[in-house]
Amino acid sequence: MKLLLLLLCLVFPRNDVSLLESGQATTLRKQTSVPSEMKVISYNIRWRSGDDLQTLIKFLQEDPEIGRASILALQEVDRHKQRTGHNNTVKTIADALGMYYVWAAPPTANPTDEEETGVAILSVYPLSDVRRIVLPNPGPNKRRRVALGATVEMPNHRWRVYSAHAETRITMGKKLEQYKAVLDDLAQFPADIPALIMGDFNTWEPNIDGKVRKLFSEAGLKTPFKDNSTFRRKVLFVPIELKLDWVWLRGLEAATFGIDRNVEVSDHYPLWTNVKMEPQKSTQSTKN
């Protein structure tokens, strides 16, 4: 049976289209108007499922800092994987929060492998121009990582939003090339579209923060966050804290922002930003 499955996968390799999914909640959250500030969240959820996932959903519904966000950028989001009961995690979250969603995963190293964990964007507004970005420079055992871009279609406003999950076990220079792949996709859209790039950049090496800031600053983006840690884990009972997660803004201003350390569902903490809404000129969807 395994041999037959292998032969079938070699003849009919997994179509990458199947690693990109769009959908919406059965019942969408009602939006009467665009607020003066928009709450956005970036969070590596570490493939939570079961009770942990329900706890996370409750936080996203009720927590004073991350609850009732309008846009979510999530990383390590499973779909149909054994460790998470073959459930569609982003669909479960979207249904609970009443949101639109998109999800993407990288290709697997071998055609018979279980699909990789992915990234997701959820929004109370419709999503368009969805793009799956397979990041360059594979990690160990040819493991790939992915980013996801989508345009949030608000009344009289359009934002370009990205959720990215970079590889951790590659050189610093190769990581910068992964971030640049996301910036290259953003560059295909008009410069006056406000944008957010969020995610787990896996910036654990010494001195990488300055290089990341230089790369994004030169591309016209800025972050309100400093060098506070966004990740914690104990190794041999010793707590390790690192800054791995980022939120970058283009053409937008953060009114308030923070890291919600009361949410301990994952080994990462969620980053939240209340973004000021400014009048926006109409613009084309993409460059011709």
Side-chain angles (χ1 to χ4, degrees):
M1 180 61 70
K2 289 183 178 180
L3 179 59
L4 176 60
L5 179 60
L6 176 61
L7 291 173
L8 287 173
C9 289
L10 291 174
V11 176
F12 302 106
R14 177 180 291 156
N15 190 337
D16 276 10
V17 173
S18 70
L19 298 176
L20 176 64
E21 178 180 335
S22 299
Q24 65 183 66
T26 304
T27 302
L28 291 168
R29 188 196 310 175
K30 293 183 179 179
Q31 297 297 305
T32 55
S33 61
V34 177
S36 60
E37 294 178 5
M38 190 81 70
K39 182 185 291 186
V40 302
I41 306 295
S42 180
Y43 193 20
N44 181 324
I45 68 172
R46 195 169 175 250
W47 50 269
R48 299 299 81 187
S49 65
D51 291 343
D52 284 342
L53 181 58
Q54 293 307 311
T55 299
L56 171 60
I57 287 171
K58 188 172 182 180
F59 276 122
L60 294 172
Q61 291 170 328
E62 302 175 3
D63 184 76
E65 294 189 9
I66 68 169
R68 303 288 295 179
S70 296
I71 299 171
L72 305 172
L74 304 180
Q75 302 84 46
E76 289 198 40
V77 183
D78 279 0
R79 185 192 68 167
H80 306 156
K81 288 178 71 71
Q82 183 175 359
R83 67 183 179 187
T84 41
H86 301 284
N87 293 314
N88 190 336
T89 302
V90 67
K91 174 62 173 170
T92 301
I93 297 173
D95 279 338
L97 303 182
M99 305 180 85
Y100 298 89
Y101 73 89
V102 291
W103 173 93
T108 57
N110 299 299
T112 57
D113 288 348
E114 187 180 43
E115 71 181 20
E116 296 283 3
T117 189
V119 299
I121 298 170
L122 297 94
S123 169
V124 295
Y125 302 102
L127 299 167
S128 67
D129 294 325
V130 178
R131 293 188 181 179
R132 170 178 172 266
I133 307 163
V134 178
L135 301 177
N137 305 322
N141 300 316
K142 299 181 180 180
R143 180 177 68 188
R144 303 302 298 269
R145 291 288 172 92
V146 74
L148 179 64
T151 300
V152 179
E153 300 284 355
M154 298 169 274
N156 302 316
H157 293 78
R158 301 176 70 251
W159 289 1
R160 188 69 183 162
V161 176
Y162 292 87
S163 178
H165 187 198
E167 176 57 58
T168 183
R169 296 181 182 88
I170 55 177
T171 66
M172 187 183 306
K174 289 183 177 180
K175 285 186 184 179
L176 292 172
E177 290 176 2
Q178 291 194 334
Y179 314 149
K180 188 176 183 300
V182 182
L183 291 171
D184 287 345
D185 187 84
L186 176 58
Q188 298 178 49
F189 292 80
D192 60 348
I193 291 183
L196 298 100
I197 298 177
M198 300 178 280
D200 176 5
F201 286 19
N202 273 311
T203 46
W204 56 265
E205 303 93 335
N207 306 318
I208 193 173
D209 280 17
K211 295 183 179 182
V212 174
R213 292 179 186 278
K214 182 175 184 293
L215 177 68
F216 280 83
S217 297
E218 289 179 348
L221 291 91
K222 57 187 177 182
T223 179
F225 291 89
K226 304 303 181 184
D227 297 327
N228 306 89
S229 63
T230 65
F231 168 93
R232 53 90 185 93
R233 182 181 291 175
K234 286 186 177 180
V235 178
L236 299 178
F237 304 102
V238 177
I240 303 296
E241 295 193 353
L242 301 166
K243 178 178 176 58
L244 303 183
D245 306 270
W246 295 77
V247 174
W248 288 95
L249 310 176
R250 184 183 77 177
L252 296 167
E253 294 290 336
T256 52
F257 59 94
I259 302 170
D260 195 338
R261 301 184 186 280
N262 293 318
V263 179
E264 297 184 324
V265 179
S266 168
D267 51 5
H268 293 247
Y269 295 114
L271 283 64
W272 59 270
T273 310
N274 286 321
V275 180
K276 297 178 183 178
M277 299 299 299
E278 301 289 348
Q280 181 178 334
K281 298 177 182 179
S282 62
T283 184
Q284 295 294 320
S285 172
T286 59
K287 288 184 177 180
N288 293 325

